[in-house]
Amino acid sequence: MAKGCTQCLRVVLIVINVLFLLIGLAILAGSLFLYFDTTMRNIKASTGLQIEMDIALFVAMAIGAITALAAGFGCCGAFHESTCLLGAFCTFVILVCIVEIGGGIFLYLKRTDPTVYSTINNSLKNGIRNKNETTLPEYIRFTQQWLRCCGANGTDDYSKDMAKAVCTAPDGEQFTEGCASKLYNFIEVNGLWALIVILGVAVIELLCMIFAVSLCCTVRREQDGYIGVTTD
């Protein structure tokens, strides 16, 4: 019975850690791609938020790398029933959970900060300043079509002809509301869901850590029992 529970814990840990390994590698690869992507460089330059975006990407790279490394330790530790590797896995999981929970709570509380709106507003204004219909950045076009908005604060940010050209939906609807307020409201409304997802991932990681500790204890008892039998 005990052996069956041990095998079950091993399989659960291996499967979950393979998924987290893939997620960690995806986060790391996506962050690296965005950091070196030419379009993202243009966005950072046009919005004036290069330092802030670089820091966010570096943090994402670190989380992805640590998650992948922790998952690797978890997979190998569970497969080989190595208490050393499982202990390293638990240590990394604690670090990742601290960063995720702390960062999630910080971003959730920060979402209503007035500086968030001013940052969004300024970045949008910088993106459309001195631009014409052909030179308007792609991310501005995407934001306007996605949120069905126009400019930073409305159609007055453009000339009449340009507003009609870049602030019109494929179905012919003319957008009039500014993107700054719409984007800010989107962040404020969906901040709770983002926090729930982050906390959900952290709970799954903590459950994996509990499974790993349980497996460690089981392996240690089996090793102690084997040593006791050998000694006798």
Side-chain angles (χ1 to χ4, degrees), residues 66 70 87-101 205-206 209 213:
I66 294 174
F89 165 73
C90 292
T91 302
F92 279 113
V93 167
I94 291 173
L95 291 175
V96 172
C97 285
I98 290 174
V99 173
E100 287 177 345
I101 295 174
E205 290 171 341
L206 290 174
M209 188 185 72
V213 171

Side-chain angles (χ1 to χ4, degrees), residues 16-52:
I16 294 178
N17 278 293
V18 167
L19 293 177
F20 274 111
L21 177 62
L22 296 175
I23 291 172
L25 292 175
I27 293 173
L28 178 60
S31 303
L32 287 170
F33 172 78
L34 290 176
Y35 181 75
F36 291 105
D37 182 57
T38 304
T39 302
M40 180 57 69
R41 289 182 180 178
N42 293 334
I43 292 175
K44 289 186 287 188
S46 62
T47 58
L49 298 174
Q50 181 167 355
I51 296 177
E52 291 84 351

Side-chain angles (χ1 to χ4, degrees), residues 80-153:
H80 296 288
E81 295 187 358
S82 170
T83 55
C84 180
L85 290 175
L86 289 173
F89 165 73
C90 292
T91 302
F92 279 113
V93 167
I94 291 173
L95 291 175
V96 172
C97 285
I98 290 174
V99 173
E100 287 177 345
I101 295 174
I105 293 174
F106 172 78
L107 292 175
Y108 176 73
L109 297 176
K110 188 74 174 176
R111 81 193 196 289
T112 56
D113 193 317
T115 58
V116 174
Y117 177 81
S118 62
T119 300
I120 295 173
N121 190 43
N122 291 335
S123 64
L124 289 172
K125 284 184 175 180
N126 290 334
I128 64 178
R129 183 177 292 119
N130 300 325
K131 298 295 191 302
N132 55 41
E133 186 178 343
T134 56
T135 60
L136 188 68
E138 191 61 36
Y139 77 93
I140 296 289
R141 298 177 186 272
F142 172 80
T143 302
Q144 292 180 156
Q145 293 296 323
W146 171 45
L147 295 175
R148 305 180 81 84
C149 54
C150 185
N153 298 295

Side-chain angles (χ1 to χ4, degrees), residues 172-194:
E173 178 187 353
Q174 180 75 43
F175 309 141
T176 57
E177 186 176 350
C179 293
S181 59
K182 278 209 166 185
L183 187 55
Y184 178 76
N185 291 334
F186 176 84
I187 294 173
E188 187 175 11
V189 170
N190 291 280
L192 178 60
W193 291 110

